[in-house]
Amino acid sequence: MQLPKSRAEIRATQSRLKRAAVEQARRSSFWQKRLPTINLEKLEDEWRRIPILEKDSLRALTDEQFYTEFCIGGHDGISEYWRSGGVTGRPLFYPRSFRDIEFGLESFARTYDCAGAGRGERAHVSFPMGIHPVGQVFSRCAASRGITVNWAGSGASTPSALQLELIQSLKPTVWLGMSSYALHLANLAEARGIDLSTFSVKKILTSAEPVSQAKRDKIERSWGAKLTDTFGMTEAGMMGAEDQPGLGFRIWSDMYFVEVLDPKTFEPVKEGEVGTLVVTALCTNNVTPFLRWSSGDLVTYSEAEDGAGPFSVFPRVKHAHRTTGFFKVRGVNLGHQDLEDFIFRHQEIGDFRAEAINEGGLDALRLSIEIRKGIDPQALAATLIRETKEKFELQPEIVVLETGTLAREFEANIKAARFVDRR
């Protein structure tokens, strides 16, 4: 599937595929009850009459209702199932037809292109290889780009120490995994006296977790590689990737039609304003007609038509990171993203865990940190206490851990339990 050459080509593709998406939805008994009468000849004018599909609508369905009422029959056959993130309170397994998978593989493969990874390179994939599709699809689609793959999986399937050995011996040029796991491998390497930045990896692809500038800097410094973040959702597929660090994701708008709307009124917001992301799958809808799906992501939208490279034909979406968690400690709302960004700006710190605790009837913040060799732990702890109090108006308890402690504790986890409320 070739990249579109112009925005005009994308608009023509969207016009054709949006009509097909509505026709697909009309085959679903779920949508038959919800869709108003729409004049397909004037679909652009009538598009916003289509009701928003929210998570509560799926929560109300039993498994049987989802598969018999929401899903569409009469397709080209079920190829596999993609596990959802559990938006219904429990994970669903979305059927994907053989035609869906063709587009699904292409949408993932484009992220390699965006990162500049191509034929002759080697990829070490540390995403989980279980029932969630991300690791398997990243591995499978690499063949279409001539990229060799080691299906390592997460630390649960291939211990982190062995992953480091494989990276050292097989010399991949690309590493793929959660950003938190990239940090864990770097910390484990340091604990073993290994300098990852001297290894062969020069490109890193991450997904599924927020990547702040401080976290990006730390990963790139530790690995000696450029990080490219990617964005997708199981309901649609891999939707885009960064082409320039930190500016947001180029969205494959020839495969996914995105809208950024006011969260309360569902009216379109202006370019650059924060709104809720609404997605229509234009190609991977042969069984599951996700039409105007409200993902819950708060983002900004930019046309970003700067002509810089083949991916400039696509618009950009950037997360506002307003939905990330927080602790409330002694009346202070402490955002997880803000705290992570603050701590990772201290280059003396290798890794950390933040815990909200209650000892003696008072809430408190405990920061467990691992520090780099040659750093005075008492001096660093005193500095961190002072700066945390200045920035967040909280005086934390500091615990200095042996390097590698947190990596061992996080070993079996897909995502790091970096923030824990123990009250």
Side-chain angles (χ1 to χ4, degrees), residues 20-33:
V22 174
E23 291 173 338
Q24 278 288 86
R26 284 175 170 174
R27 298 173 58 199
S28 159
S29 61
F30 173 91
W31 278 109
Q32 288 169 7
K33 302 171 186 176

Side-chain angles (χ1 to χ4, degrees), residues 311-387:
F311 289 94
S312 63
V313 73
F314 297 119
R316 279 200 189 104
V317 159
K318 184 175 183 180
H319 278 87
H321 296 315
R322 289 190 182 177
T323 56
T324 54
F326 66 91
F327 292 142
K328 190 162 189 174
V329 180
R330 298 190 184 183
V332 176
N333 287 336
L334 187 63
H336 294 173
Q337 186 73 37
D338 293 333
L339 182 59
E340 179 180 85
D341 193 65
F342 165 74
I343 291 180
F344 279 146
R345 289 193 185 282
H346 293 77
Q347 296 187 20
E348 307 93 331
I349 297 176
D351 206 350
F352 80 97
R353 177 170 57 210
E355 299 165 283
I357 59 175
N358 186 291
E359 295 179 351
L362 293 175
D363 286 353
L365 173 67
R366 176 190 292 155
L367 298 176
S368 299
I369 62 173
E370 298 178 8
I371 63 177
R372 300 197 177 282
K373 295 178 180 178
I375 302 298
D376 182 342
Q378 291 184 335
L380 178 59
T383 298
L384 194 59
I385 289 172
R386 184 187 72 252
E387 293 184 359

Side-chain angles (χ1 to χ4, degrees), residues 115-130:
R119 182 167 299 278
E121 298 205 58
R122 300 179 183 180
H124 181 103
V125 181
S126 293
F127 281 109
M129 294 293 177

Side-chain angles (χ1 to χ4, degrees), residues 210-238:
V211 178
S212 66
Q213 186 60 48
K215 182 189 279 189
R216 182 190 302 273
D217 291 343
K218 181 174 176 57
I219 291 172
E220 292 187 338
R221 187 170 58 247
S222 299
W223 285 75
K226 178 186 175 184
L227 187 152
T228 297
D229 200 18
T230 66
F231 171 57
M233 60 185 71
T234 321
E235 290 77 17
M238 181 56 70

Side-chain angles (χ1 to χ4, degrees), residues 57-277:
S57 299
L58 291 190
R59 287 192 180 103
L61 300 179
T62 65
D63 283 356
E64 182 178 358
Q65 287 175 321
F66 175 78
Y67 290 114
T68 59
E69 297 179 18
F70 183 82
C71 294
I72 300 169
H75 41 74
D76 62 326
I78 301 298
S79 173
E80 58 194 72
Y81 293 86
W82 284 12
R83 182 191 186 276
S84 77
V87 298
T88 59
R90 66 195 184 287
L92 280 171
F93 289 83
Y94 299 140
R96 290 285 174 258
S97 75
F98 290 96
R99 181 171 172 76
D100 287 333
I101 293 303
E102 290 180 20
F103 291 107
L105 289 169
E106 175 62 22
S107 69
F108 272 78
R110 283 183 179 181
T111 65
Y112 285 111
D113 302 335
C114 230
R119 182 167 299 278
E121 298 205 58
R122 300 179 183 180
H124 181 103
V125 181
S126 293
F127 281 109
M129 294 293 177
I131 54 178
H132 196 282
V134 61
Q136 298 183 32
V137 183
F138 263 127
S139 298
R140 288 156 53 196
C141 73
S144 70
R145 299 311 194 253
I147 298 173
T148 304
V149 175
N150 180 15
W151 298 49
S154 67
S157 56
T158 304
S160 298
L162 178 55
Q163 300 233 13
L164 291 177
E165 291 178 15
L166 290 170
I167 293 171
Q168 192 167 20
S169 61
L170 298 180
K171 296 180 171 49
T173 53
V174 187
W175 182 88
L176 299 91
M178 302 283 189
S179 58
S180 57
Y181 195 52
L183 289 174
H184 298 334
L185 287 178
N187 292 327
L188 180 61
E190 183 180 11
R192 292 170 173 253
I194 299 170
D195 184 357
L196 265 186
S197 67
T198 65
F199 281 21
S200 55
V201 173
K202 298 304 174 189
K203 303 179 183 74
I204 290 174
L205 275 74
T206 60
S207 198
E209 292 177 332
V211 178
S212 66
Q213 186 60 48
K215 182 189 279 189
R216 182 190 302 273
D217 291 343
K218 181 174 176 57
I219 291 172
E220 292 187 338
R221 187 170 58 247
S222 299
W223 285 75
K226 178 186 175 184
L227 187 152
T228 297
D229 200 18
T230 66
F231 171 57
M233 60 185 71
T234 321
E235 290 77 17
M238 181 56 70
M239 293 176 56
E242 295 177 324
D243 63 337
Q244 296 185 49
L247 295 185
F249 306 104
R250 293 285 187 179
I251 298 296
W252 319 143
S253 50
D254 58 336
M255 303 175 74
Y256 308 100
F257 178 66
V258 299
E259 303 167 77
V260 180
L261 309 177
D262 183 282
K264 295 180 180 179
T265 66
F266 287 119
E267 294 292 320
V269 301
K270 295 179 181 178
E271 184 174 336
E273 291 184 354
V274 175
T276 189
L277 181 65

